[in-house]
Amino acid sequence: MTTEERIHSLRDQLREHNYNYYVLDKPVISDYDFDQLLKELQQLEDENPEFFDPNSPTQRVGGEVTKNFETVAHTYRMYSLDNSYSKEDLESWEKRIKKLVDGTVEYTCELKYDGASMSLTYEKGKLVRAVTRGDGFKGDDVTTNVKTIRSVPLHLKGDYPERFEIRGEIVLPFEGFAQMNAERLEAGEEPYRNPRNTASGSLKLQDSAEVAKRPLDCLLYSIKGEDLPFSTQYEGLQKAHDWGFKVPEVYKLAKNIDEVLAFVNYWDVHRHDLPYETDGVVIKVNNLQQQEELGYTAKAPRWAMAYKFKAEQATTVLHTITYQVGRTGAITPVANLEPVELAGTIVKRASLHNADQIAKLDIREGDTVFVEKGGEIIPKIIGVDFTQRDPDSNATTYIETCPECDTELVRAEGEALHYCPNAQGCPPQIIGRIQHYISRKAMDIEGLGGETVALLVNNNLIANYADLYELTKEDVLPLERMAEKSAENLINGIEASKQIPFERVLFALGIRYVGETVAKKLAKEFKSIEALSQADAETLVAVDEIGERIAESVVAFFDSEKNREIVQRLKQFGVQLEISAEKLANQTDILQGKKFVVSGVFTSVSRNELKKLIEDNGGKVSSGVSGNTDYLVAGENMGPSKRTKAENLGVPIISEQDFLGMID
Ligand code: AMP
Ligand code: ZN
């Protein structure tokens, strides 16, 4: 078998396995074997760039960065749907239909998925474009991001039409959503509110590698095109399935409105067993000929109707409002409720979000309230049953001082939340900050957990993360459930954290708004805590992707004498507070702001080394040539399409030697 044949064979195998796993949910090989095949393909592609294919299974991991998403017109407008809420609504819809078309009318019933709508275009069986709904006439081209979603086929199977669009919904399954939030909480970040917004937000991330990490899924339900090989919606779904698309697992043909209602009533109850959020049923006239006769109103098809499920609601009594203090000092008001069953779980607490929300709804202790559970994990209070209100009750006054340390709360202009400013003296903030410092994505201190941190603080053994480095075995041994061995592990774990690289230390410091990605950016840009601490807001904002909010927060952090002292101590203990000399030795910013595309085979360095050289010297590597590419570094056997594109766009094409000369 030639290399080319092997590459094609690997791609075919991987596509099939991908389909079995993500679309059919029936893997036939182990994850390990899958990874081996993928690795082999990756290596062959790296070594033989002339066989590059943007739709290869290796491209699922993303990597391309999009600064501005291009606006693209939809070939077929993406309409909205009319809503119905009752049997009567559906019956009058059917009457309107029967006036406009002859013959029997059948319906398909599908679930209405609550995600981000998407239109995919396929040509000759390959995905060529993915566009968001936008305003229905035009949307954003998010192809690079959508390609990373494993259930979106990049290549189709069977007898698909030459060119068509297929529409559907990008969703984030509950389980993946919960997992993402667990990780965020561990990193001390605010959890996402609901799967739908997180799904649509994900599509607009600039870094497709970041999108690849999110457990997104894509369900497709509507095909648009000329001369399609089917005549009903139901057949369309079956065909889509045959071509390799993931179509909704449940859809049903209904002969009349009663059968439609049976489907609605069944799923109103059973939707809670589904892995995704659904907010209703979509009913479509099955026959495409009839659909065409019915046509569209200004906003929606006449041949389709959404039946909205009622959001699950319950009434219960609000006993008390309490306030929680987070690690950044943010105050969250919480409603403590008389336990009540809602969407299959017992609800005892609900989020009240902030002071404005409480005032807007006029929520008071002792009130009977309506609780609703939408996509959010924590249910929310949507209103008060005023008929039940005790006439002697008083409006809620929001707390003015911290429930934990009595410090007067502050609320910055334009912010929804109140904060306790006593960062150094407020127990939950002290404990929360140290817990964040030791967490997995930060200093990853083995042998030390969140509960032990609380114990250490409560026993006055530590008051900040620098104190960790002065702990001795003798200090910790007297603690509850602390054996000789675990004490040793704890001390060793702390010692080992001195090797953690600067960028993670910077994240671990817990500066508000400095998450993992921002910390990486800042570390790379400033190289040492010294330089960072001296930067003013203006200098910080000049850095790519650093906004005012972050800049101000960084400046405020280093303005605090206490923080400077703690950082100084970390330095003395030997924690990494600058990019290591080794790493720095090969780094310059000669290529600052320059964008490169690398293509072909090189002689004195490998492709990956070349990419690393670009990045180490401040440049950026992207995979496709575009108008803002500065140089195309051409090796042997460079892909002809890249060359043509570069030539057309006037992007300079340079050789390996030219490039090495640039950084010499
Ligand atoms: P709305 O945004 O409330 O007007 O509802 C219309 C949207 O519902 C469409 O744009 C789709 O994104 C979404 N939708 C979810 N599931 C389906 C489905 N099975 N068929 C059609 N549209 C659906
Ligand atoms: Zn406080």
Side-chain angles (χ1 to χ4, degrees):
M1 200 186 294
T2 64
T3 307
E4 183 174 9
E5 283 164 354
R6 179 67 185 153
I7 288 179
H8 286 303
S9 145
L10 282 167
R11 284 178 184 160
D12 288 344
Q13 289 178 52
L14 284 161
R15 266 175 208 129
E16 195 59 32
H17 291 312
N18 215 31
Y19 174 76
N20 290 333
Y21 189 97
Y22 291 103
V23 178
L24 301 183
D25 206 9
K26 287 198 186 82
V28 296
I29 61 168
S30 70
D31 290 358
Y32 176 80
D33 291 338
F34 182 89
D35 286 343
Q36 292 309 106
L37 293 175
L38 191 64
K39 269 198 195 126
E40 183 187 346
L41 177 60
Q42 181 74 61
Q43 190 175 353
L44 287 176
E45 287 183 351
D46 277 349
E47 290 164 1
N48 304 280
E50 65 275 26
F51 302 129
F52 174 79
D53 176 355
N55 284 352
S56 164
T58 54
Q59 302 300 305
R60 297 279 195 190
V61 294
E64 198 162 327
V65 174
T66 318
K67 268 264 142 118
N68 293 303
F69 294 96
E70 210 178 313
T71 309
V72 183
H74 293 295
T75 315
Y76 304 89
R77 177 170 162 197
M78 286 180 87
Y79 283 90
S80 184
L81 289 171
D82 285 334
N83 290 327
S84 59
Y85 301 91
S86 64
K87 183 176 178 182
E88 290 70 39
D89 288 350
L90 287 180
E91 283 168 348
S92 65
W93 175 54
E94 181 168 56
K95 268 204 202 104
R96 293 199 297 275
I97 290 175
K98 297 248 158 120
K99 273 192 205 147
L100 295 168
V101 294
D102 301 325
T104 46
V105 180
E106 289 188 333
Y107 306 93
T108 46
C109 304
E110 299 162 25
L111 289 171
K112 187 167 186 297
Y113 295 90
D114 204 10
S117 31
M118 177 56 50
S119 177
L120 308 175
T121 303
Y122 284 81
E123 280 171 16
K124 298 198 168 61
K126 288 185 187 168
L127 173 67
V128 293
R129 207 164 21 264
V131 183
T132 63
R133 170 158 132 172
D135 63 1
F137 296 99
K138 48 189 186 333
D140 292 321
D141 183 335
V142 290
T143 315
T144 41
N145 286 342
V146 168
K147 272 188 184 173
T148 67
I149 302 171
R150 306 301 198 274
S151 51
V152 172
L154 303 179
H155 273 247
L156 303 180
K157 324 188 307 170
D159 61 340
Y160 44 78
E162 173 82 7
R163 186 198 149 89
F164 64 94
E165 287 186 33
I166 185 161
R167 270 120 194 226
E169 210 76 4
I170 307 259
V171 294
L172 190 55
F174 289 124
E175 202 186 311
F177 177 70
Q179 173 74 27
M180 276 172 72
N181 267 345
E183 284 173 16
R184 275 181 84 83
L185 284 171
E186 199 192 332
E189 292 163 322
E190 291 280 313
Y192 293 114
R193 278 281 188 83
N194 63 52
R196 182 192 353 111
N197 293 354
T198 314
S200 54
S202 300
L203 295 177
K204 300 296 286 289
L205 289 175
Q206 296 189 342
D207 184 357
S208 59
E210 206 46 52
V211 186
K213 287 186 209 147
R214 301 198 170 178
L216 297 164
D217 207 345
C218 180
L219 298 161
L220 296 152
Y221 43 70
S222 163
I223 303 172
K224 301 272 162 206
E226 306 294 320
D227 299 325
L228 296 172
F230 49 85
S231 57
T232 65
Q233 165 68 7
Y234 194 83
E235 283 166 22
L237 288 169
Q238 288 173 326
K239 286 279 184 205
H241 178 76
D242 294 344
W243 300 335
F245 292 105
K246 186 160 183 167
V247 298
E249 291 134 80
V250 278
Y251 56 92
K252 189 177 176 287
L253 201 56
K255 288 200 168 32
N256 51 49
I257 293 297
D258 280 340
E259 286 187 20
V260 168
L261 281 166
F263 183 88
V264 167
N265 291 335
Y266 180 86
W267 285 106
D268 196 0
V269 178
H270 289 88
R271 65 189 164 121
H272 301 298
D273 306 332
L274 293 167
Y276 325 94
E277 176 79 3
T278 51
D279 61 349
V281 169
V282 183
I283 306 129
K284 298 172 185 168
V285 169
N286 190 38
N287 186 313
L288 298 186
Q289 183 60 45
Q290 289 178 335
Q291 284 192 5
E292 210 176 300
E293 284 166 37
L294 287 162
Y296 299 81
T297 67
K299 259 183 56 213
R302 287 198 188 85
W303 45 264
M305 182 60 84
Y307 188 103
K308 290 275 185 144
F309 293 136
K310 277 199 219 39
E312 295 258 329
Q313 257 188 29
T315 18
T316 190
V317 175
L318 163 67
H319 291 308
T320 55
I321 298 175
T322 51
Y323 300 84
Q324 286 179 343
V325 187
R327 96 174 145 84
T328 59
I331 308 288
T332 323
V334 178
N336 300 287
L337 307 167
E338 176 63 30
V340 62
E341 198 188 317
L342 182 58
T345 53
I346 301 287
V347 173
K348 298 191 189 100
R349 283 149 44 102
S351 169
L352 290 169
H353 300 306
N354 53 49
D356 289 344
Q357 180 75 4
I358 295 176
K360 196 174 98 196
L361 299 178
D362 184 18
I363 297 172
R364 305 178 184 185
E365 289 184 347
D367 272 346
T368 298
V369 292
F370 303 108
V371 216
E372 194 174 289
K373 201 166 176 180
E376 292 85 2
I377 314 180
I378 306 168
K380 61 180 178 207
I381 292 183
I382 53 153
V384 173
D385 183 352
F386 291 107
T387 63
Q388 305 287 319
R389 171 166 285 170
D390 173 356
D392 294 333
S393 76
N394 293 315
T396 301
T397 37
Y398 204 78
I399 48 167
E400 287 172 1
T401 58
C402 175
E404 302 279 345
C405 74
D406 250 0
T407 307
E408 200 172 319
L409 300 180
V410 292
R411 182 182 186 182
E413 202 164 320
E415 292 239 17
L417 296 183
H418 285 73
Y419 284 88
C420 164
N422 182 18
Q424 306 301 339
C426 183
Q429 294 190 60
I430 295 172
I431 294 172
R433 255 195 322 270
I434 305 174
Q435 284 171 337
H436 169 70
Y437 184 83
I438 66 156
S439 66
R440 203 162 45 79
K441 287 188 174 170
M443 302 301 271
D444 193 19
I445 298 187
E446 235 172 280
L448 180 55
E451 275 171 41
T452 312
V453 168
L455 268 180
L456 289 167
V457 173
N458 293 335
N459 283 281
N460 295 321
L461 288 166
I462 55 172
N464 57 57
Y465 34 68
D467 292 344
L468 287 171
Y469 296 92
E470 283 177 340
L471 281 177
T472 62
K473 213 167 95 177
E474 290 64 40
D475 285 340
V476 299
L477 264 177
L479 293 181
E480 243 173 89
R481 275 174 294 166
M482 184 63 73
E484 182 84 19
K485 187 75 197 152
S486 30
E488 220 162 83
N489 287 345
L490 192 158
I491 302 295
N492 290 342
I494 294 173
E495 186 60 28
S497 75
K498 294 179 184 171
Q499 304 309 322
I500 296 289
F502 175 46
E503 56 186 46
R504 275 173 60 190
V505 180
L506 191 52
F507 169 60
L509 295 182
I511 304 172
R512 196 187 293 169
Y513 307 132
V514 178
E516 267 184 294
T517 331
V518 172
K520 261 190 205 151
K521 270 256 138 63
L522 293 174
K524 199 167 165 200
E525 194 68 29
F526 291 93
K527 305 197 168 58
S528 73
I529 200 95
E530 201 53 52
L532 180 64
S533 67
Q534 277 159 21
D536 55 15
E538 214 178 313
T539 318
L540 284 159
V541 172
V543 178
D544 226 11
E545 281 171 52
I546 304 296
E548 246 161 66
R549 209 171 61 137
I550 300 173
E552 272 164 24
S553 160
V554 172
V555 170
F557 182 87
F558 290 108
D559 267 350
S560 143
E561 188 163 340
K562 184 81 195 172
N563 284 338
R564 287 203 305 271
E565 181 199 312
I566 292 174
V567 167
Q568 204 51 41
R569 283 176 60 215
L570 289 178
K571 202 184 259 175
Q572 281 159 9
F573 295 129
V575 172
Q576 305 291 314
L577 288 172
E578 53 186 42
I579 293 188
S580 70
E582 205 184 313
K583 222 177 165 183
L584 213 52
N586 301 317
Q587 291 196 353
T588 73
D589 48 16
I590 297 177
L591 306 178
Q592 196 61 44
K594 296 273 181 279
K595 292 202 180 65
F596 289 81
V597 171
V598 174
S599 180
V601 196
F602 301 92
T603 38
S604 53
V605 289
S606 77
R607 231 153 90 98
N608 282 338
E609 279 163 353
L610 190 66
K611 287 184 180 168
K612 194 163 172 300
L613 279 173
I614 294 172
E615 278 166 358
D616 283 350
N617 288 288
K620 281 202 173 120
V621 183
S622 46
S623 56
V625 177
S626 74
N628 50 29
T629 307
D630 290 294
Y631 297 101
L632 171 63
V633 191
E636 270 169 54
N637 288 330
M638 177 179 73
S641 64
K642 283 205 174 130
R643 175 176 291 276
T644 322
K645 197 153 181 202
E647 281 168 357
N648 289 343
L649 291 168
V651 173
I653 304 178
I654 60 172
S655 72
E656 176 180 356
Q657 256 37 37
D658 295 338
F659 172 76
L660 295 172
M662 283 170 90
I663 56 165
D664 199 7

